[in-house]
Amino acid sequence: MAHVSNKLKNSFEGALAGGGDPATSPLYVFGPFLKLIVVAGVARVTFGASIWLVVLTIAVVSGMYRLVMKWVTDGSGGSGLSEEEFGGWAVKINAAITFVEYTLTFLVSMSAMVTFIADRVPVLNEKILWFQYRTIVAIGLSILTGWLVNRGPRMAARTFGPATGGVLILLWAMVIATIFKEGFHLPDLNFTAFTRGYIHFTLGGYVRILAVMTGIEVFANLVAAYDGKPEEKSQRAFNSLLIIMGTTAITMLIVGPAIYELSNPLNSNVSVFTQTMDRLLPAPLPYFGTIVGIAVLMSASAASAQGLQNLALGLRERRYVPPVFGRRNRFDVADKPVWLEVGIVGFCFLFFGTNEETYLSLYAAGVFILLSMTGWAVTKRLLREIRSEFAFNRVTLVAGTIVAATLTTASTAIIFEERFLEGAWTYFLFIPILYAFFTMSRSRLGAPTPEMDYLGLLDAAQLAGFGFGQVPVKSILPSIIRPPEPQKELAWQPEPKERSQWRDEHIEIQNAVVLLDGSEYAAQALPLAKAVQKATGAKLTLLSAVKNHTPSLEEQYSITNKQREAYLYGVVDGLELDPSLVEVTVQPGSITNATINLIEKHDVDLVITSTRGKSGAKNWLTGGVTRKLVNQIYKPILLAQVDGKFIGTTYKLGKILVALDGSIKSEKALPYARAFAEAFGSELVLLSVPEVPEVKDYRAAADVVKTIRQKAEANMKKFLNAVARSLREDGIKVKTIVTGSRAARTIVMVGKEEAADLIIITSRGRGELDYLLLGSVAEQVVEQTDLPVLIIPVH
């Protein structure tokens, strides 16, 4: 989620922080608009009508958002389509549209950017093989943008931060230059434009320039980023909206006629905005204007990618997407959604080209779906207030919001009617697909706790509050977000029959199997195996497997089999193991199948292996032995890390870290923790990582988040203390820790800080599809830690 690094002090700062997307729109909306009406020969009649319709839309939608800003001051403004009021379908529909919108924002902005570059470097419009050079440039810059965004908000802020200020200066320079050179001329409002024969082109032009409305929603999400009382913050946020949308409207009204008079929309080599800029601004200002345009359009692309990161984080908290999509990289951002977006964008550029007109109407369609949802949600809120307490001014407001909702809904219908066959139909394909994906994820992961549900409302389906770390990027979902009711708060309450099961389950390690493939990497599990045998008196089975057991390769198999047996017997001698407590076996086929067969035929209590095999890579990353075994067997797996640390030394487990999340499934680790502690004389460190994020991850609604976090910590401490009391009754030294908010990272960190010798964790066995989508905390711990890990599969 985006973090607030500082409070916005005034409305101008807010305009710069959140206005990048709408401020860029005049740079690219005029081309498709003029091309339609000029080619049709109706420009003289319809031009002004289309412009004035857009300005009216800006006005009524701005007024609608003024209400939202008054109602919601915690940074969670937006469409008002909350799950609380409308049900889960609202979240999924809204998130699906938002995902599509972010991708289209990237497509339109990047397309417009390469158009601006090609205006000055015409050779980019030429082809190499089947593609224009500009396509290659667009894909390359898309990859660069994704890379920069995935390096965190600080990098993005340094790269793109000043762009919005630059484009505001450019737009006002164009306004002043237009008045100075062309005079003050507003578009003519010719009512003939609304008669038969012209209305289609009037509305068609209106549709093509509606993209000026993109990003207006973000200002409802900026309220919490300002200093001051709630009413002061909402007023400052609205003033920020007026600065940006006012600049956009004035540009449409004053510069728009100049663009119509001075440019040739049929010139496919130079955009109409650049043509007009060259005519109005003295040299070399047009070239500086091009640089500013390129910078701000790249900024808008980057902002959409950052918005997608935040969307993924919010949906992950609410369990509408698998954890893998919201997993943070080392720069503390979710990088996978961005690379997915870059991949989609690259595909579109290759197969559909880099002309912004291709994507512009689709872009506007999604925006107006969301805006119409906002209008009707605001209307519903006002009607509810009128029913509870009648007031004449509210009736007036209802009339205004109905106008806004009707206008935006009608605009949506017009866009779909105009451009249905040109791509608008894809919404009827992608939205159901994404809806089904969100539904599947929620059903497999289960509903979140009320606390996480509330926090997800603050983050899910976020609009791109494109301040690159300056402002909170918050949810477009709820107009009204209420904290979870006290009676619904998470509370750990012991369930005697189920909670006492681990107390009665006593584990003895009598038979352990050690997996060896003849490599030095696998052999590094041996010192750990020897330590286990010494502490528990377990019998060890040294297991190896030889593939390619076929009649044609029988002789080669026999030779390899004897070599492997000799190797295993050499291991017994080298480790000075008691031969009476060691068995050696070589099986045909894969080591995974050999292990499963051995477990089925014999009473095996523990599987011991290393994190690397012959390949030298941690085999979980490649879908190797460990991952397959966790998904297929029900026996614990002890993983030795491969770094040479324990070769030739006596292995001791003085301190064992046990990760527990408060669930009954995680308690499956406790009998094994107790058995190892008793065998090795170890101290147990019980760690719980609350699911609720830490307060530092939020600024909006920080007090509420702090309260939720404190209660979650208290509940986890209550749980751990109950477990610790039971273990101390067995004479085991126990320490409890509740900290962090990201399980894998916290487990690894605490393992280092506590100087632990072993980590014990449970892992849910999954099918390949589930594993790919849902991931595993145990997997991340194995990847990140240098400590041995005992994994208890829970199926």
Side-chain angles (χ1 to χ4, degrees):
M1 61 203 67
H3 301 245
V4 181
S5 57
N6 55 71
K7 285 285 186 179
L8 299 173
K9 296 179 177 59
N10 55 61
S11 298
F12 186 69
E13 284 189 6
L16 295 181
D21 193 20
T24 63
S25 56
L27 304 183
Y28 53 75
V29 297
F30 282 104
F33 166 47
L34 290 176
K35 189 178 294 185
L36 170 72
I37 59 178
V38 168
V39 170
V42 296
R44 292 289 175 189
V45 175
T46 66
F47 176 84
S50 297
I51 294 289
W52 282 109
L53 274 177
V54 169
V55 172
L56 173 63
T57 306
I58 291 175
V60 296
V61 173
S62 298
M64 178 178 68
Y65 272 107
R66 181 69 187 107
L67 292 174
V68 175
M69 292 173 187
K70 286 183 177 179
W71 291 332
V72 187
T73 59
D74 66 351
S76 57
S79 76
L81 199 66
S82 66
E83 183 171 6
E84 178 183 58
E85 291 187 87
F86 293 90
W89 69 269
V91 177
K92 291 180 278 190
I93 289 290
N94 220 332
I97 295 172
T98 304
F99 175 85
V100 174
E101 279 305 286
Y102 283 144
T103 305
L104 287 168
T105 299
F106 199 117
L107 280 165
V108 170
S109 300
M110 191 61 67
S111 298
M113 186 181 71
V114 294
T115 295
F116 261 64
I117 297 173
D119 286 347
R120 303 304 183 190
V121 189
V123 70
L124 295 180
N125 293 314
E126 297 180 7
K127 289 187 176 182
I128 177 173
L129 299 178
W130 298 277
F131 306 108
Q132 290 180 307
Y133 286 104
R134 60 186 286 162
T135 300
I136 299 171
V137 171
I139 293 173
L141 290 174
S142 298
I143 294 171
L144 174 62
T145 301
W147 180 79
L148 288 169
V149 169
N150 280 335
R151 293 182 69 82
R154 183 173 298 176
M155 173 66 77
R158 290 172 180 170
T159 308
F160 306 112
T164 303
V167 80
L168 285 176
I169 293 172
L170 173 62
L171 294 180
W172 279 105
M174 290 288 285
V175 169
I176 294 169
T178 299
I179 295 173
F180 181 76
K181 287 195 171 183
E182 301 294 316
F184 182 80
H185 300 292
L186 295 177
D188 294 329
L189 179 55
N190 188 335
F191 288 97
T192 305
F194 299 100
T195 61
R196 187 176 181 180
Y198 290 103
I199 183 67
H200 176 77
F201 294 102
T202 301
L203 296 178
Y206 170 62
V207 164
R208 282 159 176 76
I209 51 178
L210 276 181
V212 297
M213 298 295 297
T214 60
I216 188 174
E217 308 94 325
V218 72
F219 293 102
N221 300 23
L222 289 182
V223 181
Y226 295 86
D227 279 327
K229 298 176 181 178
E231 58 271 18
E232 294 172 340
K233 294 193 292 185
S234 66
Q235 183 62 56
R236 287 171 184 163
F238 183 64
N239 290 342
S240 295
L241 180 151
L242 291 180
I243 291 171
I244 295 296
M245 300 313 298
T247 298
T248 300
I250 290 170
T251 302
M252 302 297 295
L253 290 171
I254 296 178
V255 182
I259 293 175
Y260 169 55
E261 294 292 341
L262 300 177
S263 68
N264 176 13
L266 303 182
N267 182 353
S268 59
N269 293 322
V270 184
S271 67
V272 295
F273 195 90
T274 296
Q275 292 179 51
T276 308
M277 193 164 53
D278 288 343
R279 298 283 297 274
L280 291 177
L281 299 180
L285 291 184
Y287 290 90
F288 286 113
T290 297
I291 293 171
V292 168
I294 292 169
V296 78
L297 288 164
M298 191 170 183
S299 168
S301 296
S304 79
Q306 192 183 50
L308 196 59
Q309 288 175 336
N310 296 321
L311 173 65
L313 290 172
L315 293 178
R316 180 191 181 188
E317 287 175 4
R318 307 203 69 207
R319 298 185 180 175
Y320 282 118
V321 297
V324 66
F325 287 102
R327 186 177 300 169
R328 298 172 187 260
N329 63 11
R330 64 191 180 95
F331 298 104
D332 206 33
V333 295
D335 56 348
K336 290 181 177 59
V338 175
W339 291 126
L340 174 63
E341 181 181 47
V342 170
I344 294 172
V345 165
F347 176 86
C348 290
F349 285 156
L350 284 173
F351 289 93
F352 305 111
T354 57
N355 188 335
E356 61 267 28
E357 185 177 358
T358 305
Y359 312 105
L360 204 52
S361 291
L362 293 180
Y363 185 31
V367 168
F368 271 79
I369 293 173
L370 295 177
L371 290 179
S372 61
M373 288 177 174
T374 304
W376 295 117
V378 170
T379 301
K380 180 179 178 181
R381 164 83 180 249
L382 284 171
L383 289 173
R384 187 169 64 241
E385 289 184 353
I386 288 175
R387 284 195 294 269
S388 63
E389 184 181 351
F390 181 83
F392 182 77
N393 66 320
R394 286 180 183 164
V395 175
T396 306
L397 289 175
V398 167
T401 56
I402 289 176
V403 170
T406 303
L407 186 58
T408 52
T409 302
S411 301
T412 306
I414 292 167
I415 292 171
F416 274 90
E417 190 275 331
E418 270 278 319
R419 293 298 181 94
F420 185 80
L421 295 179
E422 297 177 32
W425 62 270
T426 57
Y427 278 94
F428 296 96
L429 173 65
F430 293 123
I431 301 306
I433 290 174
L434 289 168
Y435 186 96
F437 177 70
F438 297 148
T439 302
M440 181 193 74
S441 297
R442 186 70 174 260
S443 65
R444 292 183 181 235
L445 290 168
T449 63
E451 291 82 0
M452 293 306 295
D453 201 39
Y454 171 74
L455 295 177
L457 286 171
L458 292 180
D459 287 306
Q462 299 175 16
L463 282 176
F466 302 146
F468 295 108
Q470 295 181 13
V471 300
V473 184
K474 291 303 175 186
S475 171
I476 67 170
L477 296 181
S479 278
I480 312 163
I481 300 182
R482 300 187 184 94
E485 298 295 332
Q487 66 268 24
K488 294 182 179 179
E489 290 168 1
L490 173 67
W492 180 81
Q493 297 178 352
E495 304 158 62
K497 292 184 179 179
E498 296 176 314
R499 294 283 176 181
S500 63
Q501 284 183 357
W502 74 267
R503 289 284 305 137
D504 301 329
E505 186 178 355
H506 293 275
I507 299 295
E508 293 185 14
I509 308 298
Q510 297 179 333
N511 294 286
V513 57
V514 186
L515 310 186
L516 300 168
D517 61 11
S519 69
E520 293 182 4
Y521 295 115
Q524 293 194 43
L526 290 167
L528 183 55
K530 182 179 180 179
V532 170
Q533 185 192 58
K534 184 177 180 180
T536 64
K539 179 181 178 181
L540 294 181
T541 299
L542 306 185
L543 173 64
S544 193
V546 178
K547 293 182 179 180
N548 301 324
H549 182 214
T550 62
S552 61
L553 297 174
E554 186 69 35
E555 183 177 351
Q556 180 61 45
Y557 170 78
S558 179
I559 294 172
T560 305
N561 189 292
K562 290 179 181 179
Q563 291 174 342
R564 193 64 58 83
E565 282 187 352
Y567 160 74
L568 295 178
Y569 283 115
V571 166
V572 176
D573 294 337
L575 288 177
E576 298 179 350
L577 298 172
D578 183 351
S580 65
L581 293 176
V582 179
E583 181 179 327
V584 169
T585 179
V586 179
Q587 300 292 327
S590 70
I591 189 68
T592 304
N593 291 335
T595 304
I596 294 172
N597 291 335
L598 186 69
I599 290 172
E600 290 176 350
K601 294 178 181 178
H602 302 281
D603 188 14
V604 173
D605 302 307
L606 179 67
V607 176
I608 304 174
T609 185
S610 68
T611 54
R612 304 177 194 267
K614 284 184 177 180
S615 67
K618 286 193 177 183
N619 55 24
W620 206 321
L621 298 174
T622 57
V625 174
T626 308
R627 172 172 155 186
K628 291 176 182 176
L629 290 176
V630 167
N631 287 333
Q632 296 182 48
I633 69 174
Y634 55 91
K635 298 295 183 180
I637 302 168
L638 180 56
L639 284 171
Q641 294 287 355
V642 177
D643 57 9
K645 181 178 178 182
F646 301 109
I647 292 182
T649 65
T650 301
Y651 202 106
K652 294 182 179 179
L653 301 181
K655 187 179 287 188
I656 299 174
L657 178 65
V658 186
L660 301 168
D661 63 12
S663 69
I664 295 175
K665 288 183 177 179
S666 74
E667 291 180 18
K668 299 293 184 182
L670 290 172
Y672 291 94
R674 179 173 54 196
F676 270 71
E678 290 174 342
F680 285 91
S682 312
E683 176 187 1
L684 294 182
V685 178
L686 306 182
L687 169 66
S688 279
V689 182
E691 186 180 24
V692 178
E694 295 176 279
V695 179
K696 66 182 181 181
D697 290 335
Y698 286 85
R699 291 301 181 269
D703 291 341
V704 176
V705 175
K706 183 178 181 180
T707 301
I708 294 174
R709 172 75 187 187
Q710 288 173 340
K711 291 179 179 179
E713 289 178 348
N715 290 328
M716 297 309 295
K717 288 176 183 176
K718 188 187 301 183
F719 162 62
L720 290 188
N721 289 337
V723 173
R725 282 194 299 270
S726 295
L727 291 168
R728 290 181 183 124
E729 291 174 2
D730 296 324
I732 298 172
K733 186 178 179 181
V734 183
K735 178 180 180 179
T736 64
I737 298 176
V738 176
T739 189
S741 61
R742 300 169 200 168
R745 179 185 296 185
T746 303
I747 292 167
V748 173
M749 178 189 70
V750 173
K752 288 181 180 179
E753 293 175 349
E754 292 293 319
D757 301 304
L758 174 69
I759 295 173
I760 299 180
I761 190 170
T762 57
S763 180
R764 178 181 173 185
R766 305 182 187 276
E768 285 300 312
L769 177 60
D770 275 359
Y771 184 87
L772 176 66
L773 293 176
L774 305 182
S776 165
V777 172
E779 170 198 358
Q780 296 174 61
V781 170
V782 172
E783 290 175 13
Q784 299 172 26
T785 187
D786 295 326
L787 300 175
V789 181
L790 176 62
I791 299 176
I792 316 300
V794 179
H795 293 270

